[in-house]
Amino acid sequence: WYTYQPFPISSSGLCHLWAFTYILIFASDACKNVTLYVPSKLDAEKLIGRVNLKECFTAANLIHSSDPDFQILEDGSVYTTNSILLSSEKRSFTILLSNTENQEKKKIFVFLEHQTKVLKKRQTKETVLRRAKRRWAPIPCSMLENSLGPFPLFLQQVQSDTAQNYTIYYSIRGPGVDQEPRNLFYVERDTGNLYCTRAVDREQYESFEIIAFATTPDGYTPELPLPLIIKIEDENDNYPIFTEETYTFTIFENCRVGTTVGQVCATDRDEPDTMHTRLKYSIIGQVPPSPTLFSMHPTTGVITTTSSQLDRELIDKYQLKIKVQDMDGQYFGLQTTSTCIINIDDVNDHLPTFTRTSYVASVEENTVDVEILRVTVEDKDLVNTANWRANYTILKGNENGNFKIVTDAKTNEGILCVVKPLNYEEKQQVILQIGVVNEAPFSREASSRSAMSTATVTVNVRDQDEGPECNPPIQTVRMSENAAVGTTSNGYKAYDPETRSSSGIRYKKLTDPTGWVTIDENTGSIRVFRSLDREAETIRNGMYNITVLASDQAGRTCTGTLGIILQDVNDNGPFIPKKTVIICKPTMSSAEIVAVDPDEPINGPPFDFSLESSTSDVQRMWRLNKINDTAARLSYQNDPAFGSYVVPITVRDRLGMSSVTSLDVVLCDCITENDCTHRADPRIGGGGVQLGKWAILAILLGIALLFCILFTLVCGASGISKQPKVIPDDLAQQNLIVSNTEAPGDDKVYSANGFTTQTVGASAQGVCGTMGSGVKNGGQETIEMVKGGHQTLESCRGAGHHHTLDSCKGGHTEVDNCRYTYSEWHSFTQPRLGEKVYLCNQDENHKHAQDYVLTYNYEGRGSVAGSVGCCSERQEEDGLEFLDNLEPKFRTLAEACMKR
């Protein structure tokens, strides 16, 4: 089996080159003759074929055609430059390849042959083709887009080797056959010739992949399906198109040469990476046409400046006509044009200049916030921009700050105003130098031209008839604070600004906080009316201020302040401002006292501190030690008791002036002074608490309610007391019952010396006996040691009530006077607790009994109370010393448990 394929030669599709599979194509041999089969008529600027230049001479950098009717591009494409009509004979030309560096040259001979001869050759060689056996394999195939026919257009022939033994029918399927676009290709059933029925657009279909089948009449398939790829060769039929119809760019004036203005871009739908899509950009026109200020990169489309003479004030916009052309800009390439508008943006390259170099204005003295002059400037820069708006400033002549100049936002004028009154008597004329710049910085500061325009303004001050002038507004005089009543001194002086004289001016006192002085109406001098005191509350920094009103005969006034500087006299002794001193005995042994002297330092410290010797107790209990010039340390001695003491202290200044201050010194059992201040402690005299009327009423109601309850209890107890009751034997032992028992238990009864039980009715007179009782009600216990134990516990028990033995004491028993002190309690309980401790080691292993040795959770360390176990008394001799130094929150509990 043999197959052959036509190659497209021209864009018209009228001619094909039949190349048999067993014949080598001439174009594939480097530097050998190449034959191109073309139709008899060739149009201008048409592709007639391609020559492989790289295989012939890869280093060629210059390509030349010997025939001017043909042009050869870098990729080997051969184009006609003019319309050509071929005769019956062959036409040829030479392609000259050369390298300008090494002068190497090579030639390729190209022959053009008419297409009709090819068809004849195919018929003469048909028998030869039948003898050649080829395998069933894909054959490359292509066709030009937009082919003009004639249609149907033969593409190639497919045949199978099995056709030698079978009758073979050929068929195809796929896109272009039975899929969109349908009926574009078909194959002859008997010959296997493949045809195209109409023109194809490559931009719509780049290639087709169809499947060829070889079958026998009875349906047998001797060959596998053959995939055929038909590639559509590109034709330069699409114009390059700019991405925008009109490009708009902006660039600043006076920019440097080579500054990028912008970039344009175009697209081409033809096949990429071919000459059809190789674009070249150019500028073909400019408005205004002269001078030429822009250039365009041919490949990238970037527009740059070629001159630095862009001046917005001359031309503020340029319009360019730009072109893009494919075929790398060759004259026969397709082209498109567009418009590019370049706006020139303003920079501050022109200074504002005054329209005049000098101005004259006038203003009346003592006027303020008035406009006296407007100045104008010229500026060629863009209006209402920072490059045009002016900033005015006063360069000279405004040292006193009488003037200011601002810009009128609408007219760009400079407005000169008076902001501080002028004085004609001081200056009749003021000469100002003003300058102007733009808001934006000047862009040509490096030039020799000044960056600021200046002008001179002469301001004439007009005279005005004025009233008295109080200048300076604050005047001072000096007087001694012990000056006698009636002493006179210079006062406030005002003057007439016209005559610089004080005659004819009257004075009046407006303010005098304490009424110490009077003022003379004619002269303004002052007279002491009351004694002066520098240490008075109205004095600030030793100066006493009064306000004076001065007026002339026309009634015009001015106001001034007269400051009387009081010179200090040593008329005050130092004293101690803090009258109450608290000393916490557990933490402090002394307190610091500070003295002050209202007089000047020259009459003040160093101070001398001493105790008043009128009473010997003060000298015995207290001692003073000097700390510095103004402070001393007061410390107690001989361990005085808690309480409040009056300590008189004498303080003398450096000149011997002294005063006695009686300090209220409080010795308190506290940690900090606040503990003693916030608590009413009976050892320091209690706290002064004042109750309101509602609190007093609530207390009275509570007392009345308490009396009702006591009356009810007494009545109930008198009825029960007729029946004899016996106090249990273990009453005296209940003083050690654990209070946190969670369930009832058996009470152990031990004999205790000193505890007696008596019956009701026994006399309460006689020697006081001890009774220890624990009355349990509602899960609480109260332990009391009382004398006069001729009472029973039963008379005090009541359901749901909590009583102590105090509520059951008879009239002959004085409980508060018979309570034992801590030492008596300690001597009573020590042997009994020792007996308890001894029981802890009574088991056979000499270990603590389980009901005495208890395990407690760790609750921290540092507690001054120590262990709370039943055997803790064994490790300390006393065990209750921590009660002497409790923290404030335990003071109330301590006072309820012990009394000094």
Side-chain angles (χ1 to χ4, degrees), residues 273-308:
D273 300 326
T274 64
M275 294 296 293
H276 299 161
T277 55
R278 185 174 296 181
L279 307 181
K280 188 164 286 189
Y281 302 89
S282 61
I283 299 175
I284 59 178
Q286 173 183 303
V287 178
S290 179
T292 302
L293 301 175
F294 306 97
S295 65
M296 177 179 285
H297 193 280
T299 304
T300 62
V302 175
I303 302 174
T304 56
T305 60
T306 59
S307 174
S308 61

Side-chain angles (χ1 to χ4, degrees), residues 376-561:
T376 58
V377 294
E378 292 180 350
D379 197 327
K380 296 180 181 180
D381 290 319
L382 188 61
V383 179
N384 293 326
T385 63
N387 301 328
W388 174 81
R389 287 189 290 268
N391 278 344
Y392 298 90
T393 182
I394 301 175
L395 302 176
K396 294 180 182 179
N398 193 33
E399 287 76 13
N400 295 328
N402 298 101
F403 305 92
K404 76 172 181 180
I405 187 168
V406 296
T407 304
D408 189 325
K410 295 181 179 179
T411 63
N412 211 31
E413 294 177 324
I415 306 174
L416 184 63
C417 304
V418 177
V419 294
K420 183 178 178 182
L422 295 165
N423 193 337
Y424 176 81
E425 287 72 29
E426 292 180 357
K427 210 167 189 179
Q428 291 77 35
Q429 189 180 75
V430 180
I431 299 177
L432 303 176
Q433 185 184 24
I434 59 176
V436 61
V437 294
N438 291 122
E439 290 183 2
F442 186 53
S443 62
R444 296 182 178 179
E445 291 181 354
S447 64
S448 59
R449 185 180 175 185
S450 173
M452 178 180 290
S453 176
T454 61
T456 302
V457 179
T458 302
V459 181
N460 296 317
V461 183
R462 299 193 301 269
D463 189 22
Q464 184 185 50
D465 189 12
E466 303 171 274
E469 184 172 338
C470 295
N471 190 22
I474 299 176
Q475 301 176 17
T476 60
V477 296
R478 292 181 177 270
M479 298 185 70
S480 177
E481 69 171 323
N482 62 351
V485 176
T487 304
T488 61
S489 175
N490 295 329
Y492 194 89
K493 291 295 182 181
Y495 62 92
D496 187 345
E498 310 294 337
T499 62
R500 311 302 297 178
S501 173
S502 298
S503 60
I505 297 178
R506 299 292 181 264
Y507 300 92
K508 181 181 178 181
K509 183 176 64 172
L510 291 181
T511 60
D512 184 2
T514 56
W516 284 348
V517 297
T518 60
I519 188 169
D520 188 273
E521 182 181 5
N522 296 321
T523 63
S525 61
I526 59 173
R527 180 187 297 272
V528 178
F529 182 71
R530 290 188 180 93
S531 297
L532 305 178
D533 186 5
R534 180 187 170 279
E535 289 74 35
E537 294 181 356
T538 57
I539 302 300
R540 294 291 181 270
N541 298 323
M543 180 178 291
Y544 180 66
N545 294 325
I546 63 175
T547 306
V548 179
L549 177 69
S551 60
D552 59 7
Q553 295 177 355
R556 292 169 294 195
T557 62
C558 70
T559 304
T561 300

Side-chain angles (χ1 to χ4, degrees), residues 697-829:
L697 179 60
I699 293 174
L700 294 177
L701 292 176
I703 293 174
L705 181 61
L706 181 60
F707 272 112
C708 293
I709 296 175
L710 291 177
F711 180 76
T712 304
L713 293 176
V714 170
C715 292
S718 61
I720 299 175
S721 62
K722 297 179 182 180
Q723 299 178 2
K725 297 292 182 179
V726 180
I727 299 176
D729 295 338
D730 61 343
L731 179 62
Q733 307 300 330
Q734 293 181 3
N735 60 325
L736 295 177
I737 292 178
V738 179
S739 64
N740 62 349
T741 305
E742 297 181 359
D746 297 333
D747 293 335
K748 307 289 185 179
V749 179
Y750 297 93
S751 61
N753 296 333
F755 285 89
T756 61
T757 60
Q758 303 292 340
T759 62
V760 177
S763 175
Q765 299 176 356
V767 181
C768 290
T770 60
M771 177 182 293
S773 64
V775 184
K776 299 188 216 177
N777 287 289
Q780 298 182 353
E781 285 188 337
T782 300
I783 301 175
E784 289 284 350
M785 293 299 300
V786 301
K787 291 190 178 183
H790 303 290
Q791 301 290 337
T792 68
L793 192 61
E794 297 297 331
S795 64
C796 297
R797 294 179 180 173
H801 298 284
H802 179 204
H803 301 288
T804 66
L805 289 181
D806 293 338
S807 65
C808 303
K809 295 169 186 174
H812 300 284
T813 305
E814 298 177 359
V815 179
D816 291 339
N817 295 330
C818 296
R819 287 188 179 177
Y820 282 85
T821 63
Y822 169 75
S823 60
E824 293 174 335
W825 171 263
H826 181 271
S827 61
F828 173 77
T829 58

Side-chain angles (χ1 to χ4, degrees), residues 87-204:
S87 61
S88 59
E89 298 180 357
K90 292 184 179 181
R91 182 169 180 174
S92 64
F93 63 91
T94 304
I95 299 176
L96 179 62
L97 305 176
S98 61
N99 189 322
T100 57
E101 295 180 359
N102 54 16
Q103 304 300 323
E104 185 179 357
K105 297 181 180 181
K106 290 188 178 182
K107 294 181 180 181
I108 300 178
F109 295 97
V110 179
F111 299 93
L112 301 181
E113 187 174 345
H114 197 274
Q115 187 178 6
T116 55
K117 297 182 179 181
V118 178
L119 298 177
K120 296 178 180 180
K121 291 182 179 179
R122 188 189 69 174
Q123 294 175 0
T124 58
K125 296 182 179 179
E126 185 175 358
T127 55
V128 180
L129 293 176
R130 288 180 180 176
R131 294 192 190 97
K133 295 183 179 181
R134 298 293 174 227
R135 60 186 180 85
W136 178 260
I139 304 172
C141 178
S142 64
M143 65 174 291
L144 284 173
E145 67 169 330
N146 303 325
S147 176
L148 298 179
F151 295 105
L153 179 66
F154 177 77
L155 298 180
Q156 70 175 6
Q157 184 183 26
V158 292
Q159 286 190 355
S160 172
D161 294 341
T162 58
Q164 298 177 358
N165 302 321
Y166 305 96
T167 300
I168 299 298
Y169 294 160
Y170 299 97
S171 62
I172 55 175
R173 294 180 184 175
V177 183
D178 55 353
Q179 300 177 18
E180 292 296 334
R182 297 178 181 273
N183 303 321
L184 180 62
F185 304 103
Y186 73 91
V187 66
E188 291 181 349
R189 186 187 70 169
D190 298 327
T191 63
N193 293 334
L194 181 64
Y195 293 91
C196 177
T197 62
R198 59 184 180 272
V200 182
D201 185 6
R202 190 206 67 85
E203 283 68 42
Q204 187 176 6

